[in-house]
Every structure is written in C-alpha cells, then in structure tokens.
Amino acid sequence: AVYVADGITWNWDGTRWSLLSTSDLPRTDWQWSRLVFDADRGKVVLVGSTVIPTTVNQVWEWNGTTWTRIPTIAAPAFGAASHVVHDRAHHVL
C-alpha cells in the first residue's frame, strides 16, 4: 500500500511503514486527493486538487522512486466526492 500526506510518500509492506519520498509532490494544502494503481503501467496515480492560492486540479504519477506531474490539456473536472478507479478492460483510469 502507498500512502501520501503533506507531500510525503509512505509504503506499507504488511508489517511496517517505510518512508519512500519527502520530495517531488508539492507540500501544499491538498483540498482532496485520491490514489489509484494503474496495473497496465505499474504506476500509482494521484489525482487531486490543491489550493495555491486558488483551486488547481492536478494529476501525478509515482514510478516507485519519483513523483512526476502529468500535464493535462484542460484541468480535469474533479471534486471532493470524486473517486478514481483503474478500468482493466478498457485500460483507462
């Protein structure tokens, strides 16, 4: 399991939590965020919204070492009640 809080990334191996990263993700006020594993590409994807100083929807990928912000053509229309899932049949999130 991967857990993200305040820009810090943790991993749960079934016994204990390990610190994976303290950088890459912005340490900002995330209004909300969701994590999902993209099994097709073997990456954890974070979608969420920050307040810096206005609402900014963002998409990030974790490759096991580094978070990378994924540019989007238009800001995704997410909201605090949103959920993210991997659709294995259609190969999309």
Side-chain angles (χ1 to χ4, degrees):
V2 174
Y3 176 72
V4 175
D6 299 323
I8 300 171
T9 307
W10 297 87
N11 179 68
W12 175 255
D13 66 7
T15 305
R16 65 183 183 89
W17 287 100
S18 301
L19 178 66
L20 295 177
S21 175
T22 59
S23 60
D24 304 322
L25 276 176
R27 288 183 182 229
T28 186
D29 291 330
W30 286 92
Q31 198 170 34
W32 66 272
S33 63
R34 303 291 185 268
L35 291 175
V36 63
F37 181 69
D38 183 337
D40 292 329
R41 296 179 306 120
K43 295 183 180 182
V44 173
V45 178
L46 178 144
V47 295
S49 186
T50 61
V51 258
I52 36 174
T54 59
T55 301
V56 176
N57 293 324
Q58 299 183 27
V59 178
W60 291 78
E61 283 185 345
W62 172 256
N63 65 9
T65 306
T66 307
W67 284 103
T68 304
R69 186 168 180 186
I70 304 304
T72 56
I73 295 170
F78 300 128
S82 297
H83 296 281
V84 181
V85 297
H86 177 253
D87 181 343
R88 183 167 263 179
H90 296 97
H91 308 284
V92 296
L93 297 180

